[in-house]
Amino acid sequence: MSNPAPVKRLHNGLLEALPAAVQLPSYDRHNLQPGIVHLGVGAFHRAHQAWYTEQLLNRSGGDWGIIGASMRSADVAQQLNPQDGLYTLIEKSEANRFQVIGCLQRVIVAPQEPDELVQAIASSSTRVVTLTITEKGYCHDPASGELLQNHPAIEAEVADGLATPRTAIGFLVAGLRRRREQGLPGITLLSCDNLPHNGRVLGAVVTALAARLDGDLAEWIARQVTFPCSMVDRIVPASTAADRQLAEEALGVSDEGAVSTEPFSQWVIENNFATTAPDWGSVGALLVEDVTPFEMIKLRLLNGSHSLIAYLGYVAGYDYVHEVVSNGAMLALVRAYMQSVLPTLTVPADFDIEEYQEQLLQRFANPALQHRTAQIAMDGSQKIPQRWLQSLRQLLDSGQDSTLLALAIAGWVKFLGGQRDNRETFVVDDPLAVDLQARLEVTGGNVALVRTVMEQRQVFGDLAAQDPALLEQVTAFYTRLCNEGNQSVINALVASLPAAEV
Ligand code: CS2
């Protein structure tokens, strides 16, 4: 018997032959020009900014192509470059929707081809650089927002005058320096990471690094470059073999770059572009003067709930977000958590915050997404300040109840111990893991342990020093979570909440 013919792999030449149920680029890909450079071309970018750009091209044509860059591994380049940049976006709900995205032209692997990336940023056709480099990619102190001047990679970049950029921030400064040397105008650097005032943070770290190399360059950047803030939202689990399988079944050809997401998406962008930019507003993005209220709502309600679900849920034994919220007590806890942070939010006119919360719970409950709690649990030290601690401070300052945030912190401290309630151990994936786990070794009981963790200033600032009652409350929860297990503590806590909060 002969072997079956190998399945062909998605590329330009096969587009015409794909099944009619798959949505295809309706524009001519040959006309694309690299107008956007994107740093951090992971699954989120492919389901969010690239999708908005694709919607724009499908709707109005134009030539906005994207050059993507991977800041570390060659995986995405190996997935997409042999496919001419094409990949399938699968929108998962009761029925799956398949769309082939065509706006990504090529992927550069930054550590392997550093000069290619600097040149892409410095190209005369580039007008916007977008970024999804995750919180830690900003090389900043999460508590203060300032560049970590002694970050090893930043120090190395300063030492060699950025001859070899290593960080996303270094690549941006090197690209801007080349633009200036070539007499090109400035551009827009658009952060799309889950940080409050992400554009301000980006502006601060780029300018701080530039100033260490060349004061005139820092001034040029201040005049020529803009850093709009933006709020991005779409739940995009890390892609899996099951996604690639689904894509192959729908397309009839293999696709190594398939990405799954939910139907929902949102993008709110501060209207502050240095030069022309894609008209993302015509395909659903909201351009506003001030992104702050939107980003606070999203970070504290969606991401704050996500982290709560991840730390308490993962250790309790739940692998997926939808499983956590299918448990009645867990769901009640998430609802009550959202209610408790509401007083810290400024809700824009015409925004129905109650409907937003209900919609979030429905999004979390989507079983087709298969969103892993362990994925969200990564990098807690970088996420917790803006997801929990800013609202915690506000609640404490105004004398309001912050019990559930104390529980959340206790859940994270327990998570740092690297053991689930069924005793299974796991590795804590966090840039501060070594420092934080060393703090768990302190002697003197749980009071000393919780105090030592909360004295990690990059995460907590001076919160521990300021509020002894908070330390006591976190310690009490930590002790109970360790002794009784997460699920029992949550069951009991939820039973004791006033009915209105559940
Ligand atoms: C999640 C986010 O992994 C995480 O930390 O909370 O990636 C979340 O899914 C997105 O921000 C949704 O827009």
Side-chain angles (χ1 to χ4, degrees):
M1 231 173 76
S2 63
N3 288 331
V7 184
K8 289 191 185 133
R9 187 157 167 197
L10 179 63
H11 68 269
N12 260 340
L14 291 176
L15 275 178
E16 308 265 289
L18 294 181
V22 177
Q23 187 184 348
L24 301 179
S26 64
Y27 54 92
D28 185 350
R29 292 192 83 215
H30 296 106
N31 294 337
L32 294 180
Q33 295 293 324
I36 305 168
V37 172
H38 183 81
L39 307 190
V41 63
F44 183 75
H45 169 69
R46 286 181 269 159
H48 193 273
Q49 303 92 51
W51 175 78
Y52 277 93
T53 307
E54 185 74 5
Q55 300 299 85
L56 176 63
L57 292 166
N58 281 335
R59 184 177 191 268
S60 333
D63 62 0
W64 284 103
I66 302 176
I67 301 292
S70 288
M71 302 316 297
R72 282 186 304 246
S73 98
D75 293 355
V76 178
Q78 282 161 6
Q79 289 164 359
L80 297 185
N81 287 340
Q83 300 184 175
D84 300 321
L86 294 168
Y87 63 94
T88 313
L89 185 64
I90 312 170
E91 262 182 35
K92 284 184 167 173
S93 57
E94 278 121 55
N96 294 330
R97 245 193 102 249
F98 296 86
Q99 177 175 6
V100 172
I101 306 285
C103 60
L104 197 61
Q105 297 185 272
R106 172 166 93 88
V107 177
I108 295 172
V109 184
Q112 290 174 12
E113 313 155 273
D115 199 62
E116 292 280 302
L117 178 53
V118 174
Q119 194 42 48
I121 297 169
S123 152
S124 60
S125 68
T126 299
R127 278 157 289 169
V128 185
V129 178
T130 50
L131 295 94
T132 50
I133 53 174
T134 80
E135 295 85 348
K136 61 181 177 243
Y138 290 78
C139 306
H140 73 306
D141 173 352
S144 72
E146 303 290 318
L147 179 71
L148 287 170
Q149 298 280 3
N150 59 359
H151 187 293
I154 296 285
E155 279 189 333
E157 288 176 335
V158 172
D160 76 358
L162 265 184
T164 313
R166 293 152 175 89
T167 66
I169 308 309
F171 276 103
L172 290 173
V173 174
L176 293 173
R177 179 169 66 185
R178 194 171 296 176
R179 289 189 80 86
R180 178 168 173 251
E181 283 163 4
Q182 292 174 354
L184 289 169
I187 47 175
T188 304
L189 304 189
L190 178 56
S191 167
C192 300
D193 281 293
N194 284 319
L195 287 168
H197 313 305
N198 51 13
R200 306 284 172 277
V201 174
L202 180 63
V205 293
V206 165
T207 312
L209 178 58
R212 283 191 66 184
L213 295 157
D214 173 354
D216 291 346
L217 174 62
E219 274 173 33
W220 181 85
I221 291 174
R223 283 195 310 274
Q224 297 276 342
V225 179
T226 63
F227 301 89
C229 292
S230 83
M231 182 279 261
V232 292
D233 190 7
R234 196 166 208 189
I235 297 176
V236 188
S239 37
T240 62
D243 297 324
R244 294 187 278 278
Q245 184 64 34
L246 267 181
E248 182 171 325
E249 279 160 21
L251 270 58
V253 300
S254 77
D255 175 4
E256 295 295 317
V259 173
S260 279
T261 189
E262 60 177 341
F264 180 93
S265 88
Q266 199 181 9
W267 196 5
V268 185
I269 310 172
E270 183 187 354
N271 198 354
N272 178 24
F273 291 89
T275 169
T276 48
D279 183 10
W280 288 309
S282 70
V283 286
L286 189 62
L287 286 125
V288 298
E289 288 298 303
D290 183 9
V291 173
T292 316
F294 297 96
E295 65 186 16
M296 294 304 162
I297 290 172
K298 194 260 171 167
L299 284 167
R300 294 178 186 182
L301 292 181
L302 188 157
N303 299 112
S305 301
H306 250 173
S307 293
L308 183 79
I309 288 170
Y311 297 120
L312 289 168
Y314 180 72
V315 171
Y318 298 95
D319 288 333
Y320 295 99
V321 172
H322 71 275
E323 292 173 351
V324 179
V325 294
S326 72
N327 174 274
M330 290 287 188
L331 177 64
L333 176 73
V334 178
R335 273 187 201 284
Y337 160 81
M338 288 194 201
Q339 279 307 115
S340 76
V341 299
L342 277 189
T344 72
L345 301 172
T346 306
V347 181
D350 302 333
F351 191 100
D352 186 337
I353 194 81
E354 279 173 15
E355 192 189 307
Y356 180 80
Q357 291 171 78
E358 280 313 307
Q359 190 184 36
L360 283 183
L361 294 171
Q362 280 167 20
R363 292 169 63 194
F364 296 161
N366 181 345
L369 268 185
Q370 301 281 303
H371 195 193
R372 286 191 172 274
T373 46
Q375 184 188 341
I376 300 166
M378 275 173 56
D379 294 349
S381 66
Q382 314 295 302
K383 295 174 174 175
I384 283 175
Q386 58 275 12
R387 295 182 179 202
W388 295 344
L389 302 182
Q390 290 180 354
S391 25
L392 175 59
R393 268 176 203 279
Q394 265 176 266
L395 292 174
L396 290 172
D397 288 348
S398 56
Q400 298 187 75
D401 183 37
S402 55
T403 309
L404 296 181
L405 284 159
L407 169 72
I409 296 171
W412 182 57
V413 177
K414 180 176 164 189
F415 172 89
L416 292 173
Q419 192 176 73
R420 300 177 91 177
D421 283 339
N422 65 2
R423 308 219 163 266
E424 186 190 320
T425 57
F426 60 89
V427 175
V428 173
D429 194 340
D430 191 303
L432 294 181
V434 172
D435 170 306
L436 288 163
Q437 291 186 316
R439 290 167 191 263
L440 301 179
E441 303 293 321
V442 74
T443 52
N446 287 348
V447 182
L449 181 153
V450 169
R451 183 184 313 109
T452 311
V453 172
M454 290 184 69
E455 279 168 357
Q456 202 332 321
R457 296 182 73 90
Q458 281 186 37
V459 181
F460 291 98
D462 55 6
L463 203 52
Q466 272 186 351
D467 210 298
L470 172 70
L471 269 179
E472 228 172 85
Q473 208 180 18
V474 176
T475 308
F477 273 128
Y478 175 74
T479 305
R480 284 188 60 196
L481 290 172
C482 293
N483 293 345
E484 299 165 39
N486 287 7
Q487 184 76 59
S488 311
V489 175
I490 292 164
N491 291 348
L493 185 80
V494 163
S496 73
L497 288 173
E501 285 185 24
V502 180

Short mmCIF file of all heavy atoms in Angstrom, two decimals, residues 191 193-203 227-230 270 290-293 295-296 299 390:
data_model
loop_
_atom_site.label_atom_id
_atom_site.label_comp_id
_atom_site.label_asym_id
_atom_site.label_seq_id
_atom_site.Cartn_x
_atom_site.Cartn_y
_atom_site.Cartn_z
N SER A 191 1.94 51.13 22.14
CA SER A 191 1.97 49.99 23.06
C SER A 191 0.59 49.32 23.11
O SER A 191 -0.44 50.00 23.23
CB SER A 191 2.36 50.46 24.46
OG SER A 191 2.10 49.43 25.39
N ASP A 193 0.13 46.53 25.28
CA ASP A 193 0.25 45.61 26.41
C ASP A 193 -0.66 46.03 27.55
O ASP A 193 -1.07 47.19 27.64
CB ASP A 193 1.71 45.55 26.88
CG ASP A 193 2.55 44.66 25.97
OD1 ASP A 193 2.30 43.43 25.97
OD2 ASP A 193 3.42 45.18 25.26
N ASN A 194 -0.92 45.07 28.43
CA ASN A 194 -1.86 45.30 29.54
C ASN A 194 -1.23 46.05 30.70
O ASN A 194 -1.10 45.53 31.80
CB ASN A 194 -2.36 43.95 30.06
CG ASN A 194 -3.37 43.32 29.15
OD1 ASN A 194 -4.25 44.01 28.62
ND2 ASN A 194 -3.26 42.01 28.95
N LEU A 195 -0.80 47.26 30.42
CA LEU A 195 -0.21 48.09 31.47
C LEU A 195 -1.00 49.38 31.53
O LEU A 195 -1.38 49.91 30.48
CB LEU A 195 1.22 48.48 31.08
CG LEU A 195 2.29 47.41 31.14
CD1 LEU A 195 3.55 47.89 30.47
CD2 LEU A 195 2.57 47.09 32.60
N PRO A 196 -1.20 49.92 32.72
CA PRO A 196 -1.90 51.21 32.76
C PRO A 196 -1.00 52.28 32.15
O PRO A 196 0.21 52.24 32.33
CB PRO A 196 -2.11 51.46 34.25
CG PRO A 196 -1.20 50.54 34.97
CD PRO A 196 -0.81 49.44 34.04
N HIS A 197 -1.57 53.21 31.41
CA HIS A 197 -0.79 54.28 30.75
C HIS A 197 0.36 53.66 29.97
O HIS A 197 1.51 54.10 30.08
CB HIS A 197 -0.26 55.28 31.78
CG HIS A 197 -1.29 55.73 32.77
ND1 HIS A 197 -2.48 56.29 32.38
CD2 HIS A 197 -1.31 55.70 34.12
CE1 HIS A 197 -3.20 56.58 33.46
NE2 HIS A 197 -2.52 56.22 34.51
N ASN A 198 0.05 52.62 29.20
CA ASN A 198 1.14 51.88 28.55
C ASN A 198 1.99 52.78 27.64
O ASN A 198 3.20 52.60 27.55
CB ASN A 198 0.62 50.63 27.83
CG ASN A 198 -0.55 50.90 26.91
OD1 ASN A 198 -0.85 52.06 26.60
ND2 ASN A 198 -1.23 49.85 26.48
N GLY A 199 1.34 53.76 27.00
CA GLY A 199 2.09 54.67 26.14
C GLY A 199 3.06 55.54 26.96
O GLY A 199 4.19 55.78 26.54
N ARG A 200 2.60 55.98 28.13
CA ARG A 200 3.48 56.80 28.98
C ARG A 200 4.68 55.97 29.44
O ARG A 200 5.81 56.44 29.47
CB ARG A 200 2.76 57.32 30.23
CG ARG A 200 1.48 58.07 29.99
CD ARG A 200 1.69 59.50 29.48
NE ARG A 200 0.40 60.05 29.11
CZ ARG A 200 -0.22 59.85 27.95
NH1 ARG A 200 0.36 59.13 26.99
NH2 ARG A 200 -1.41 60.37 27.72
N VAL A 201 4.39 54.71 29.82
CA VAL A 201 5.48 53.84 30.28
C VAL A 201 6.47 53.64 29.13
O VAL A 201 7.69 53.77 29.30
CB VAL A 201 4.94 52.47 30.76
CG1 VAL A 201 6.08 51.50 31.09
CG2 VAL A 201 4.04 52.65 31.99
N LEU A 202 5.94 53.36 27.94
CA LEU A 202 6.83 53.15 26.79
C LEU A 202 7.65 54.41 26.52
O LEU A 202 8.87 54.34 26.31
CB LEU A 202 6.00 52.76 25.56
CG LEU A 202 6.82 52.50 24.29
CD1 LEU A 202 7.77 51.32 24.49
CD2 LEU A 202 5.90 52.22 23.10
N GLY A 203 6.98 55.56 26.53
CA GLY A 203 7.69 56.83 26.29
C GLY A 203 8.79 57.03 27.32
O GLY A 203 9.91 57.43 26.99
N PHE A 227 3.60 58.43 21.59
CA PHE A 227 3.43 57.17 22.32
C PHE A 227 1.98 57.10 22.81
O PHE A 227 1.73 57.25 24.02
CB PHE A 227 4.37 57.12 23.52
CG PHE A 227 5.84 57.26 23.19
CD1 PHE A 227 6.44 58.52 23.13
CD2 PHE A 227 6.61 56.14 22.95
CE1 PHE A 227 7.80 58.64 22.83
CE2 PHE A 227 7.96 56.25 22.65
CZ PHE A 227 8.56 57.52 22.60
N PRO A 228 1.01 56.90 21.92
CA PRO A 228 -0.38 56.87 22.41
C PRO A 228 -0.59 55.69 23.36
O PRO A 228 0.05 54.64 23.22
CB PRO A 228 -1.21 56.64 21.13
CG PRO A 228 -0.27 56.64 20.00
CD PRO A 228 1.13 56.61 20.50
N CYS A 229 -1.47 55.88 24.32
CA CYS A 229 -1.88 54.76 25.18
C CYS A 229 -2.96 53.98 24.44
O CYS A 229 -3.70 54.54 23.63
CB CYS A 229 -2.46 55.29 26.49
SG CYS A 229 -1.25 56.10 27.53
N SER A 230 -3.06 52.70 24.73
CA SER A 230 -4.18 51.96 24.15
C SER A 230 -4.62 50.85 25.09
O SER A 230 -3.83 50.35 25.88
CB SER A 230 -3.83 51.40 22.78
OG SER A 230 -3.15 50.18 22.89
N GLU A 270 -5.67 56.07 22.16
CA GLU A 270 -5.54 57.52 22.34
C GLU A 270 -5.21 58.14 20.98
O GLU A 270 -4.27 57.70 20.30
CB GLU A 270 -4.40 57.79 23.33
CG GLU A 270 -4.21 59.24 23.65
CD GLU A 270 -2.96 59.49 24.50
OE1 GLU A 270 -2.31 58.52 24.94
OE2 GLU A 270 -2.63 60.67 24.72
N ASP A 290 -8.75 60.26 25.95
CA ASP A 290 -8.17 59.71 27.18
C ASP A 290 -8.60 58.25 27.37
O ASP A 290 -9.77 57.95 27.54
CB ASP A 290 -8.65 60.56 28.38
CG ASP A 290 -8.02 60.09 29.67
OD1 ASP A 290 -7.10 59.25 29.63
OD2 ASP A 290 -8.47 60.56 30.74
N VAL A 291 -7.62 57.39 27.35
CA VAL A 291 -7.89 55.94 27.44
C VAL A 291 -8.08 55.49 28.90
O VAL A 291 -8.61 54.42 29.16
CB VAL A 291 -6.69 55.18 26.80
CG1 VAL A 291 -6.77 53.69 26.99
CG2 VAL A 291 -6.58 55.50 25.33
N THR A 292 -7.64 56.33 29.84
CA THR A 292 -7.55 55.91 31.25
C THR A 292 -8.78 55.16 31.77
O THR A 292 -8.63 54.05 32.31
CB THR A 292 -7.24 57.11 32.17
OG1 THR A 292 -6.21 57.88 31.56
CG2 THR A 292 -6.81 56.67 33.54
N PRO A 293 -9.99 55.72 31.65
CA PRO A 293 -11.11 54.99 32.25
C PRO A 293 -11.29 53.59 31.65
O PRO A 293 -11.59 52.63 32.37
CB PRO A 293 -12.34 55.85 31.93
CG PRO A 293 -11.86 57.09 31.28
CD PRO A 293 -10.40 56.97 31.02
N GLU A 295 -8.93 51.66 30.30
CA GLU A 295 -7.88 50.71 30.69
C GLU A 295 -8.06 50.29 32.15
O GLU A 295 -7.84 49.13 32.49
CB GLU A 295 -6.47 51.23 30.39
CG GLU A 295 -6.06 52.44 31.17
CD GLU A 295 -4.71 53.01 30.73
OE1 GLU A 295 -4.22 52.68 29.65
OE2 GLU A 295 -4.16 53.84 31.49
N MET A 296 -8.52 51.20 33.00
CA MET A 296 -8.73 50.83 34.41
C MET A 296 -9.83 49.77 34.51
O MET A 296 -9.69 48.79 35.23
CB MET A 296 -9.14 52.04 35.25
CG MET A 296 -8.07 53.09 35.36
SD MET A 296 -6.56 52.41 36.02
CE MET A 296 -5.38 53.63 35.55
N LEU A 299 -8.34 46.47 33.06
CA LEU A 299 -7.28 45.85 33.87
C LEU A 299 -7.83 45.33 35.20
O LEU A 299 -7.45 44.26 35.67
CB LEU A 299 -6.18 46.87 34.16
CG LEU A 299 -5.22 47.17 33.01
CD1 LEU A 299 -4.39 48.42 33.31
CD2 LEU A 299 -4.29 45.98 32.79
N GLN A 390 -3.32 48.64 42.68
CA GLN A 390 -3.76 50.02 42.56
C GLN A 390 -5.17 50.18 43.11
O GLN A 390 -5.47 51.14 43.82
CB GLN A 390 -3.69 50.48 41.10
CG GLN A 390 -2.24 50.64 40.65
CD GLN A 390 -2.10 51.09 39.21
OE1 GLN A 390 -3.07 51.19 38.47
NE2 GLN A 390 -0.87 51.33 38.80
#
